[in-house]
Amino acid sequence: MLKSKNMLTLKGQRSASRSDSVEADLLLWWEDFYLPIFAYILPKMGELEGKKVLELGTGTGGTATLLAKRGASVVGIDLLPFRLTEARARAAEHDVAESVEFALMDAMHLAFPDNTFDFIISKSVLVFTDHTRTAQECYRVLKPGGKAIFIENMRHHPAVWLYRKAFLRYSGKLHYFSLHDVAAVGAEFEGLEHREFHLSAVGALFWQKGISIPLFYRWTFGILKVVDAVLLKCFPFLKRFCWITAMICHKD
Ligand SMILES: C[S@@+](CC[C@H](N)C(=O)[O-])C[C@H]1O[C@@H](n2cnc3c(N)ncnc32)[C@H](O)[C@@H]1O
């Protein structure tokens, strides 16, 4: 059971506190799959009180709001004005409107001076952009000692690949990540650590999106997460077939 402020608990666990469950809701969609990822990255960010954070491609502002609730002063940018309107409403709903600013801006052309932010974060956004160009802009606006955290969708998971081919018409236009892309983004910084998530665990979605049996979904997800941990430890080459990667890039 994870209890510290830097950890998230799975929504629905009996002992999960209300604030944990609010945080899970702020991950917006596929939240069960993002909980372990945020449990990995939030401790890397440490104490957020007074820290300046930029969120690229904020969408409806879930992550920006989550970080503002932890004390950060956040700027969320996006290319879509209606998303920014939704994001402002979400921040207001969670009483952090004063700690979050939202702006219409392209992640590849950031209108901030050099060395502005302690952290930059993005979730499912770099796939829409030129990875290297975006990483270079992030490096520029990050303070020395800062970290840029990119959570991205990977290219080679067989079931996810099939799903994209069948149902996501725009997916052909996106640049999903390979491990080579992870290394290329990391090469724009002085340091890179990364972890890949969800290999067999994706199979649990059958009991959510295929035949909806929530109990089977929770059981299968719990078991397959353990299977993944063992598989990825014993056979590291399987990381390239995971669904999601989380990169933490360091600027000296
Ligand atoms: C898949 S959504 C993810 C939204 C949010 N990060 C989340 O996880 O809920 C991708 C978002 O990135 C935004 N986006 C795409 N390209 C962008 C760019 N070059 N600069 C800023 N935002 C961009 C889109 O408008 C969209 O809101």
Side-chain angles (χ1 to χ4, degrees):
M1 180 71 211
L2 306 173
K3 280 226 163 121
S4 89
K5 194 184 174 195
N6 281 330
M7 298 290 179
L8 295 168
T9 45
L10 277 178
K11 192 170 69 160
Q13 277 181 337
R14 249 186 339 154
S15 50
S17 70
R18 163 142 172 75
S19 69
D20 287 330
S21 142
V22 168
E23 291 203 328
D25 289 340
L26 286 170
L27 303 181
L28 297 181
W29 47 72
W30 310 105
E31 72 267 26
D32 290 342
F33 287 85
Y34 282 101
L35 283 165
I37 298 170
F38 275 74
Y40 168 63
I41 61 167
L42 287 173
K44 309 270 184 192
M45 298 177 88
E47 180 53 61
L48 283 172
E49 199 66 50
K51 292 285 173 14
K52 289 186 77 171
V53 180
L54 170 65
E55 190 197 3
L56 310 177
T58 192
T60 54
T63 304
T65 301
L66 186 152
L67 298 176
K69 283 172 76 70
R70 287 169 172 255
S73 165
V74 187
V75 180
I77 64 157
D78 204 286
L79 282 180
L80 298 175
F82 73 93
R83 286 285 183 228
L84 294 172
T85 305
E86 290 169 357
R88 284 187 193 100
R90 187 180 298 279
E93 188 191 320
H94 286 270
D95 299 321
V96 290
E98 284 177 10
S99 314
V100 197
E101 245 179 82
F102 291 104
L104 194 64
M105 199 182 296
D106 185 345
M108 292 184 284
H109 303 279
L110 297 173
F112 302 106
D114 297 358
N115 309 325
T116 302
F117 295 98
D118 298 290
F119 294 104
I120 298 174
I121 189 163
S122 74
K123 174 167 152 261
S124 307
V125 177
L126 263 60
V127 288
F128 292 91
T129 72
D130 174 332
H131 302 167
T132 307
R133 169 82 190 141
T134 310
Q136 287 165 350
E137 270 299 80
C138 289
Y139 184 89
R140 182 181 68 73
V141 303
L142 204 56
K143 289 179 186 170
K147 295 176 188 168
I149 297 168
F150 306 116
I151 302 166
E152 280 306 335
N153 305 285
M154 296 188 76
R155 193 184 301 175
H156 295 300
H157 190 293
V160 176
W161 180 87
L162 263 178
Y163 172 82
R164 286 177 188 142
K165 282 273 172 220
F167 299 111
L168 293 184
R169 260 185 299 151
Y170 61 84
S171 68
K173 298 201 175 94
L174 305 192
H175 189 156
Y176 294 106
F177 272 69
S178 63
L179 288 179
H180 177 78
D181 295 313
V182 170
V185 165
E188 300 298 330
F189 297 80
E190 278 86 17
L192 166 71
E193 45 187 318
H194 61 99
R195 184 181 291 180
E196 285 60 50
F197 296 83
H198 309 317
L199 187 61
S200 70
V202 172
L205 286 168
F206 176 77
W207 299 114
Q208 193 190 54
K209 311 284 178 200
I211 303 170
S212 177
I213 307 181
L215 189 63
F216 283 12
Y217 166 67
R218 279 202 302 279
W219 281 348
T220 320
F221 185 54
I223 293 165
L224 293 181
K225 269 197 306 182
V226 177
V227 171
D228 281 355
V230 174
L231 279 177
L232 294 172
K233 194 168 173 16
C234 296
F235 307 105
F237 72 92
L238 290 175
K239 287 176 185 175
R240 68 194 302 271
F241 297 112
C242 285
W243 175 19
I244 297 170
T245 179
M247 294 160 262
I248 300 169
C249 304
H250 301 246
K251 176 172 175 176
D252 286 351

